[in-house]
Amino acid sequence: MMRLEKIDSNLLIKLFEYATYELKKHREEIDLLNVFPVPDGDTGTNMLYTLQSTLDEIRKVKNKTIKTIAEAAIKGSLMGARGNSGVILSQIIRGFCEVIRENEYIDTKVWIKSWQNATRVAYRAVIKPTEGTILTVLREGVKEGVIASRETNDITLIMERMLNKAKESLANTPNLLPILKEAKVVDAGGQGLVWIWTGFYEVLKGIEFFIEEPIKEKEEKIEVKERPEVEVLESYVITYQYCTEFIINSSENTDFSSFKKWLESQGDSIVTSEAPGLLKVHIHTNHPGLVLEKALELGSLSRIKIDNMAEQHEERLKEEINRDSITPLKEIGFVAVSWGEGINEIFKGLGVDIIVNGGQTLNPSVELLSDAVEKVRAKKVFVLPNNKNVILAAKQLENIHKERVVIIPTKHVLEGIRALYEYNPRDTWEILKEKMEKSIERIKVGEITRAVKDSSYNGLKIDEGDIIGLTNDEVKVAGKNIETVCLDLLSLLVDGDSEVISVFYGKDISQEEAEKLVNKLNNQYPSLSIELLYGGQPYYFYYLGVE
């Protein structure tokens, strides 16, 4: 093995190519390193998506120097970043490239400084860095590289030491994070970094082996079950023309249940929020007058708002067609990440301009979110990530669109819906931001899904195929029956302050099954208002919201 003291532009490109190749080979293996037995193991996919976007951008460069390659890598990794793991990887790439781009070639000193900067930038990207993750693997690997650089100028030997230390650090991650030990896995992001560094090491050793197609341009794209795309406005068929909102002011002991049941016969996208003597209603209907007359039987009405959605839809289409023409900007617009036919319709009804399909198992990239923001004709664009793994990607929009975007850190679509319910066009964006952020603290969210693997968590023995109930990203209940698990989970969510239970049923649950569950809930919680809505979400039988 020849001594290597300098890396030029050609070798730098190979580093990215072989790292992408190794990550592609081991993507599924990394995806399976999921702590929870839920269908969201996508760390390997997100890291690969990010790295391939980096490579795409590098290949567009005509005059390939260290500087142009580094700048392309920074741009490609940022725009392609997907999920928390992808964003962290993009920050590692950014930190590495910020140093190397100032040099004609990479020697030992530059190599070490670049990785030290990568560590600093990656740690800064995470609000509360956790040890036992990719950050630990990176930091300890780089620290070993610093020690090795004092003993040799051979970058290959230094990389070998870094890689070996990273593997050692990865094996130790379960001892730093109890949740990894309980799940009997190592950190997925750390494993991804080890495979990236494995690709680097193979290149530096001078190993030439045939890479099957993955670094050919036509084979670069990752195949996913459903590529997230921005909703096409033209495909939005309006069944009910009038978006109608109002508040019923009645006596404290008024029972609104019959009225809410009647509303289901009058339209769709029904969202209600109840407090003693008050009922806030949102509905799409063809007969707003009839709805208001029926509501008047229960009390006085306030904050009445009726919009003709057919006219709004036509205006939106005109905006899309004439995007480049000068048109007035509204004050506030909305982008929401969502997945599920019914939930998408609810978001549209609540005024969301652009819906980006995505969520659990399918995190949209920074580029996709950025494109959505650009489509919104508004001075301020509020972005609702609606998933904990999308928040970090959404935060990158602040670097791209600066003050134009406002990120509301919603971790679930139900939080997003609750936040949008606070929208009042008379409010300034600062007031709306404060109201939205406070509102998401008032809802507790539960999820019912099927375990995708055998596991043990929180003292629960879970078999593949079991029904599990989660809240706050923790498995709380498990069993064999969907309805039973729902009831068990709600018993943990409902307390003395609870007033409303919202049940969103997924695409694998029939309306009859959902109504049967709601009947049991009405019997079990007679003093609470129970709402049933079609969500159409994949993978999750039910989303449960408790306020």
PDB file of all heavy atoms in Angstrom, residues 75 139 163 185 207 245 266 270 275 318 335 367 413:
ATOM      1  N   LYS A  75     -24.055  22.329  -1.210  1.00  0.00           N
ATOM      2  CA  LYS A  75     -25.383  22.616  -1.751  1.00  0.00           C
ATOM      3  C   LYS A  75     -26.205  21.336  -1.910  1.00  0.00           C
ATOM      4  O   LYS A  75     -27.369  21.264  -1.504  1.00  0.00           O
ATOM      5  CB  LYS A  75     -25.250  23.320  -3.104  1.00  0.00           C
ATOM      6  CG  LYS A  75     -26.595  23.621  -3.751  1.00  0.00           C
ATOM      7  CD  LYS A  75     -26.421  24.248  -5.128  1.00  0.00           C
ATOM      8  CE  LYS A  75     -27.789  24.458  -5.793  1.00  0.00           C
ATOM      9  NZ  LYS A  75     -27.638  25.027  -7.176  1.00  0.00           N
ATOM     10  N   ARG A 139     -17.356  12.055  16.673  1.00  0.00           N
ATOM     11  CA  ARG A 139     -16.414  12.754  17.554  1.00  0.00           C
ATOM     12  C   ARG A 139     -15.256  11.857  17.989  1.00  0.00           C
ATOM     13  O   ARG A 139     -14.089  12.268  17.944  1.00  0.00           O
ATOM     14  CB  ARG A 139     -17.160  13.276  18.789  1.00  0.00           C
ATOM     15  CG  ARG A 139     -16.270  13.967  19.808  1.00  0.00           C
ATOM     16  CD  ARG A 139     -17.081  14.582  20.944  1.00  0.00           C
ATOM     17  NE  ARG A 139     -17.975  13.623  21.571  1.00  0.00           N
ATOM     18  CZ  ARG A 139     -17.600  12.693  22.448  1.00  0.00           C
ATOM     19  NH1 ARG A 139     -16.324  12.586  22.782  1.00  0.00           N
ATOM     20  NH2 ARG A 139     -18.482  11.869  22.981  1.00  0.00           N
ATOM     21  N   LEU A 163     -11.568   4.871  11.268  1.00  0.00           N
ATOM     22  CA  LEU A 163     -12.611   3.880  11.003  1.00  0.00           C
ATOM     23  C   LEU A 163     -12.688   2.839  12.111  1.00  0.00           C
ATOM     24  O   LEU A 163     -13.780   2.498  12.589  1.00  0.00           O
ATOM     25  CB  LEU A 163     -12.349   3.201   9.651  1.00  0.00           C
ATOM     26  CG  LEU A 163     -13.305   2.066   9.253  1.00  0.00           C
ATOM     27  CD1 LEU A 163     -14.750   2.556   9.201  1.00  0.00           C
ATOM     28  CD2 LEU A 163     -12.891   1.469   7.910  1.00  0.00           C
ATOM     29  N   VAL A 185     -29.861  -3.116  19.648  1.00  0.00           N
ATOM     30  CA  VAL A 185     -29.334  -2.592  18.383  1.00  0.00           C
ATOM     31  C   VAL A 185     -28.281  -1.537  18.689  1.00  0.00           C
ATOM     32  O   VAL A 185     -28.210  -1.009  19.794  1.00  0.00           O
ATOM     33  CB  VAL A 185     -30.452  -1.956  17.512  1.00  0.00           C
ATOM     34  CG1 VAL A 185     -31.450  -3.003  17.073  1.00  0.00           C
ATOM     35  CG2 VAL A 185     -31.146  -0.822  18.250  1.00  0.00           C
ATOM     36  N   ILE A 207      -7.968   0.463  -3.484  1.00  0.00           N
ATOM     37  CA  ILE A 207      -8.687  -0.724  -3.950  1.00  0.00           C
ATOM     38  C   ILE A 207      -9.615  -0.323  -5.084  1.00  0.00           C
ATOM     39  O   ILE A 207     -10.456   0.558  -4.947  1.00  0.00           O
ATOM     40  CB  ILE A 207      -9.501  -1.371  -2.815  1.00  0.00           C
ATOM     41  CG1 ILE A 207      -8.551  -1.934  -1.763  1.00  0.00           C
ATOM     42  CG2 ILE A 207     -10.433  -2.446  -3.348  1.00  0.00           C
ATOM     43  CD1 ILE A 207      -9.239  -2.580  -0.591  1.00  0.00           C
ATOM     44  N   GLU A 245     -67.337  28.470   8.753  1.00  0.00           N
ATOM     45  CA  GLU A 245     -66.828  28.420  10.121  1.00  0.00           C
ATOM     46  C   GLU A 245     -67.691  29.304  11.013  1.00  0.00           C
ATOM     47  O   GLU A 245     -68.149  30.369  10.586  1.00  0.00           O
ATOM     48  CB  GLU A 245     -65.376  28.904  10.185  1.00  0.00           C
ATOM     49  CG  GLU A 245     -64.394  28.062   9.410  1.00  0.00           C
ATOM     50  CD  GLU A 245     -62.985  28.633   9.478  1.00  0.00           C
ATOM     51  OE1 GLU A 245     -62.651  29.250  10.511  1.00  0.00           O
ATOM     52  OE2 GLU A 245     -62.235  28.475   8.506  1.00  0.00           O
ATOM     53  N   GLN A 266     -74.070  16.856   6.028  1.00  0.00           N
ATOM     54  CA  GLN A 266     -74.119  18.129   5.324  1.00  0.00           C
ATOM     55  C   GLN A 266     -72.840  18.496   4.572  1.00  0.00           C
ATOM     56  O   GLN A 266     -72.807  19.507   3.878  1.00  0.00           O
ATOM     57  CB  GLN A 266     -74.435  19.253   6.325  1.00  0.00           C
ATOM     58  CG  GLN A 266     -75.762  19.097   7.027  1.00  0.00           C
ATOM     59  CD  GLN A 266     -76.919  19.025   6.044  1.00  0.00           C
ATOM     60  OE1 GLN A 266     -77.043  19.890   5.173  1.00  0.00           O
ATOM     61  NE2 GLN A 266     -77.743  17.994   6.154  1.00  0.00           N
ATOM     62  N   ILE A 270     -64.987  18.138   8.275  1.00  0.00           N
ATOM     63  CA  ILE A 270     -65.603  18.649   9.496  1.00  0.00           C
ATOM     64  C   ILE A 270     -64.591  18.598  10.639  1.00  0.00           C
ATOM     65  O   ILE A 270     -64.016  17.550  10.923  1.00  0.00           O
ATOM     66  CB  ILE A 270     -66.850  17.821   9.870  1.00  0.00           C
ATOM     67  CG1 ILE A 270     -67.876  17.865   8.728  1.00  0.00           C
ATOM     68  CG2 ILE A 270     -67.475  18.324  11.166  1.00  0.00           C
ATOM     69  CD1 ILE A 270     -68.969  16.843   8.860  1.00  0.00           C
ATOM     70  N   ALA A 275     -65.939  23.262  24.177  1.00  0.00           N
ATOM     71  CA  ALA A 275     -65.730  23.614  25.576  1.00  0.00           C
ATOM     72  C   ALA A 275     -67.120  23.802  26.170  1.00  0.00           C
ATOM     73  O   ALA A 275     -68.096  23.933  25.420  1.00  0.00           O
ATOM     74  CB  ALA A 275     -64.914  24.891  25.698  1.00  0.00           C
ATOM     75  N   LYS A 318     -55.088  30.188 -11.167  1.00  0.00           N
ATOM     76  CA  LYS A 318     -54.572  31.325 -11.916  1.00  0.00           C
ATOM     77  C   LYS A 318     -53.198  31.730 -11.390  1.00  0.00           C
ATOM     78  O   LYS A 318     -52.306  32.087 -12.148  1.00  0.00           O
ATOM     79  CB  LYS A 318     -55.542  32.504 -11.798  1.00  0.00           C
ATOM     80  CG  LYS A 318     -56.820  32.328 -12.613  1.00  0.00           C
ATOM     81  CD  LYS A 318     -57.769  33.506 -12.407  1.00  0.00           C
ATOM     82  CE  LYS A 318     -59.054  33.322 -13.197  1.00  0.00           C
ATOM     83  NZ  LYS A 318     -60.021  34.436 -12.939  1.00  0.00           N
ATOM     84  N   VAL A 335     -47.577  25.827   4.528  1.00  0.00           N
ATOM     85  CA  VAL A 335     -47.118  24.567   3.941  1.00  0.00           C
ATOM     86  C   VAL A 335     -47.205  23.509   5.035  1.00  0.00           C
ATOM     87  O   VAL A 335     -46.745  23.746   6.156  1.00  0.00           O
ATOM     88  CB  VAL A 335     -45.671  24.669   3.421  1.00  0.00           C
ATOM     89  CG1 VAL A 335     -45.129  23.283   3.044  1.00  0.00           C
ATOM     90  CG2 VAL A 335     -45.587  25.595   2.215  1.00  0.00           C
ATOM     91  N   GLU A 367     -35.033  20.152  -0.214  1.00  0.00           N
ATOM     92  CA  GLU A 367     -35.328  20.723  -1.528  1.00  0.00           C
ATOM     93  C   GLU A 367     -36.821  20.718  -1.810  1.00  0.00           C
ATOM     94  O   GLU A 367     -37.379  21.695  -2.311  1.00  0.00           O
ATOM     95  CB  GLU A 367     -34.589  19.941  -2.622  1.00  0.00           C
ATOM     96  CG  GLU A 367     -34.790  20.521  -4.011  1.00  0.00           C
ATOM     97  CD  GLU A 367     -33.946  19.830  -5.053  1.00  0.00           C
ATOM     98  OE1 GLU A 367     -33.502  18.686  -4.809  1.00  0.00           O
ATOM     99  OE2 GLU A 367     -33.723  20.433  -6.113  1.00  0.00           O
ATOM    100  N   VAL A 413     -49.370  15.220  12.683  1.00  0.00           N
ATOM    101  CA  VAL A 413     -50.403  15.907  11.901  1.00  0.00           C
ATOM    102  C   VAL A 413     -51.518  16.437  12.795  1.00  0.00           C
ATOM    103  O   VAL A 413     -52.110  17.488  12.509  1.00  0.00           O
ATOM    104  CB  VAL A 413     -50.999  14.987  10.807  1.00  0.00           C
ATOM    105  CG1 VAL A 413     -49.994  14.747   9.695  1.00  0.00           C
ATOM    106  CG2 VAL A 413     -51.506  13.678  11.385  1.00  0.00           C
TER     107      VAL A 413
END
